[in-house]
Amino acid sequence: MAEASRISRYLYTIIVLFIIWLFLTASLDPQELAFGLVLSLIIGAFTYEIFTTRGLANLHPKRVAYAIAYIPYFLWAMLLANLDVAYRVLHPKRPINPGIVECRTNLRSDVGKLVLANSITLTPGTITLEVEGDRYFIHWIDVKDASVEGASKSITGPFEKFLKVIFG
Amino acid sequence: MVKRLLAILVLLIIGYWLAQGLANVPFGENKMLVGQYYLDHVKEQTGAVNAVTAVVVNYRGFDTLGEVTVLFIASTGVAALLWRRKRKRTAKTKGSVVLTTGTKLLFPFVILFGAYIFIHGHLTPGGGFPGGATIATAFLLLYMAFITYEIPHRGFEATEGLAGMGYVLVGLIGLAIGGYFLLDWVWQTWGFGHENLGRLFSGGFIPIIYTIIGIKVGMELSGIVDNMLKEEVSE
């Protein structure tokens, strides 16, 4: 993926850091705001090179909207996942069929892969063991389909439609 | 076996002895002698809302200067003990894409949070040392995730030295203005921040000193990590 210009990456880092500062201080005191801005400028100058490769393009409205929509979607999936695991633990027969399956992803960016890996780990009985290029090795508590295509469809598929738009 | 029994016996005796000694200290009763003075006067004398930092930086500033010195000696000592002409990182396995990308994303946030801790030393729990340690954690993350990462040594060591000198300089300005070392000149002579107690730009020179200490501690601990992670390379 092509890198954005330095200015765009720097600005993006400042914006993100400043938003985090607002959440940290939870106050709109002008002193806090002024100092937070100065701090964001300084820290951004030191860290933007490793923080982002795409810069302000991350703030495209469509991406932000999908990111906000992704949060409740993901939380719901996580809730179901935990209920599912509780069911498996409490069930007298312990209905598990564990195994390691391989999945493919069509995500390109590293950040997208990171979020996908974390989303998989936090949802229905699946844990990401290793990511290599576009291959994911996933431990599944109840293997329904061991083929690459089938596993991808039921594990990575549901998240990818969001993450593809957010991170590319 | 006999050794172990003897050790347990000695420990039991020491424990009993300590318990006897502590039994006379009342628990949950007010036994503040100097403490009451600190609590009563901390606001008007130092401008800090956090009494701990006021004690550590203002009332007993020499202790903190000593601690900073101890840390500096520790860092120099580690560097001296592990000094070799050719030293390199020899780690072989790179972290997975999840680890490296996560580190890249977290790095600025950890630094920002460290800075948040040390700048709010006079208002919230924390201060220069926790803030600095947090910043060093960010560099530790980079060291763990990337097999080739190294801190920029020149910049780090120069900043560390400058920060240490800055602390002494702040103390010396107090000596020049008010007559004794580590006098809080920002608060007592300038009166800066008198009108907005409890907001960010108050607390006399505590935020200044804690910024200096935070930067210094962050650089120092990162330097120690760097020294310990490197191995000698034979040519």
Side-chain angles (χ1 to χ4, degrees):
Chain A
M1 185 174 305
E3 283 197 356
S5 73
R6 300 173 81 86
I7 297 171
S8 151
R9 289 158 67 197
Y10 182 39
L11 284 176
Y12 173 68
T13 312
I14 292 171
I15 291 170
V16 173
L17 284 175
F18 192 66
I19 291 172
I20 301 285
W21 178 265
L22 289 180
F23 278 107
L24 269 180
T25 55
S27 96
L28 291 173
D29 188 334
Q31 292 181 358
E32 297 274 4
L33 293 185
F35 194 81
L37 191 62
V38 172
L39 211 55
S40 308
L41 287 170
I42 297 171
I43 294 174
F46 282 111
T47 58
Y48 78 93
E49 280 180 34
I50 71 163
F51 181 60
T52 172
T53 55
R54 213 166 45 189
L56 288 173
N58 280 324
L59 295 178
H60 190 283
K62 194 174 164 201
R63 288 193 169 128
V64 176
Y66 266 73
I68 292 169
Y70 183 65
I71 295 170
Y73 176 81
F74 170 71
L75 287 177
W76 179 245
M78 201 161 94
L79 183 73
L80 290 182
N82 286 301
L83 290 177
D84 177 66
V85 173
Y87 164 77
R88 283 174 209 281
V89 171
L90 295 173
H91 196 283
K93 280 190 187 145
R94 210 173 43 156
I96 57 169
N97 174 27
I100 295 173
V101 293
E102 186 190 331
C103 290
R104 301 278 166 145
T105 177
N106 52 23
L107 295 176
R108 288 280 159 268
S109 73
D110 281 350
V111 183
K113 287 177 187 168
L114 168 75
V115 176
L116 179 58
N118 283 347
S119 303
I120 288 171
T121 299
L122 289 168
T123 49
T126 45
I127 292 174
T128 311
L129 300 175
E130 175 69 296
V131 181
E132 267 179 23
D134 65 342
R135 298 156 77 204
Y136 278 66
F137 297 96
I138 291 161
H139 184 272
W140 202 354
I141 202 169
D142 181 23
V143 179
K144 296 188 192 92
D145 189 345
S147 72
V148 173
E149 293 76 24
S152 306
K153 204 178 164 201
S154 57
I155 297 178
T156 59
F159 300 117
E160 267 179 352
K161 58 190 176 197
F162 283 88
L163 297 180
K164 187 72 190 161
V165 182
I166 304 172
F167 299 106
Chain B
M1 192 64 199
V2 181
K3 232 180 179 175
R4 200 168 285 179
L5 278 176
L6 268 177
I8 290 171
L9 193 70
V10 170
L11 282 177
L12 280 176
I13 293 169
I14 294 178
Y16 176 74
W17 177 57
L18 285 176
Q20 280 301 305
L22 288 174
N24 296 324
V25 181
F27 183 76
E29 284 171 37
N30 188 358
K31 46 185 177 285
M32 289 195 289
L33 303 169
V34 191
Q36 197 59 53
Y37 176 84
Y38 287 148
L39 288 184
D40 290 343
H41 298 89
V42 65
K43 277 192 198 159
E44 92 243 17
Q45 282 185 344
T46 69
V49 183
N50 182 350
V52 176
T53 46
V55 171
V56 166
V57 178
N58 263 299
Y59 294 111
R60 289 160 181 257
F62 274 105
D63 289 4
T64 307
L65 192 59
E67 274 173 49
V68 170
T69 317
V70 166
L71 208 59
F72 176 70
I73 294 172
S75 142
T76 324
V78 168
L81 279 175
L82 297 174
W83 187 82
R84 297 276 189 291
R85 208 166 288 149
K86 258 288 189 200
R87 280 166 59 77
K88 257 193 176 160
R89 297 203 51 200
T90 51
K92 298 209 170 51
T93 341
K94 194 173 181 276
S96 75
V97 68
V98 176
L99 179 63
T100 52
T101 320
T103 305
K104 283 180 179 175
L105 282 183
L106 276 178
F107 181 68
F109 297 155
V110 179
I111 302 255
L112 182 79
F113 187 57
Y116 167 83
I117 294 176
F118 69 61
I119 200 63
H120 286 92
H122 55 300
L123 303 172
T124 59
F129 290 92
T134 310
I135 289 176
T137 318
F139 288 100
L140 180 63
L141 264 178
L142 286 182
Y143 269 106
M144 308 262 253
F146 298 96
I147 49 176
T148 51
Y149 179 78
E150 275 200 47
I151 52 170
H153 286 273
R154 272 165 185 268
F156 264 54
E157 278 144 26
T159 320
E160 188 187 322
L162 284 177
M165 271 153 56
Y167 190 0
V168 177
L169 194 69
V170 171
L172 286 177
I173 294 175
L175 184 68
I177 293 179
Y180 60 95
F181 192 60
L182 286 177
L183 166 76
D184 188 351
W185 40 279
V186 178
W187 178 259
Q188 292 184 12
T189 313
W190 288 8
F192 180 78
H194 271 278
E195 69 290 336
N196 58 2
L197 202 71
R199 290 168 72 194
L200 186 58
F201 294 153
S202 68
F205 71 178
I206 293 176
I208 300 173
I209 284 193
Y210 264 163
T211 306
I212 289 171
I213 293 179
I215 291 169
K216 188 170 161 59
V217 170
M219 310 277 120
E220 252 156 21
L221 295 181
S222 310
I224 291 179
V225 166
D226 172 82
N227 268 312
M228 294 210 162
L229 275 174
K230 282 186 189 166
E231 286 174 70
E232 197 174 353
V233 181
S234 56
E235 297 190 44

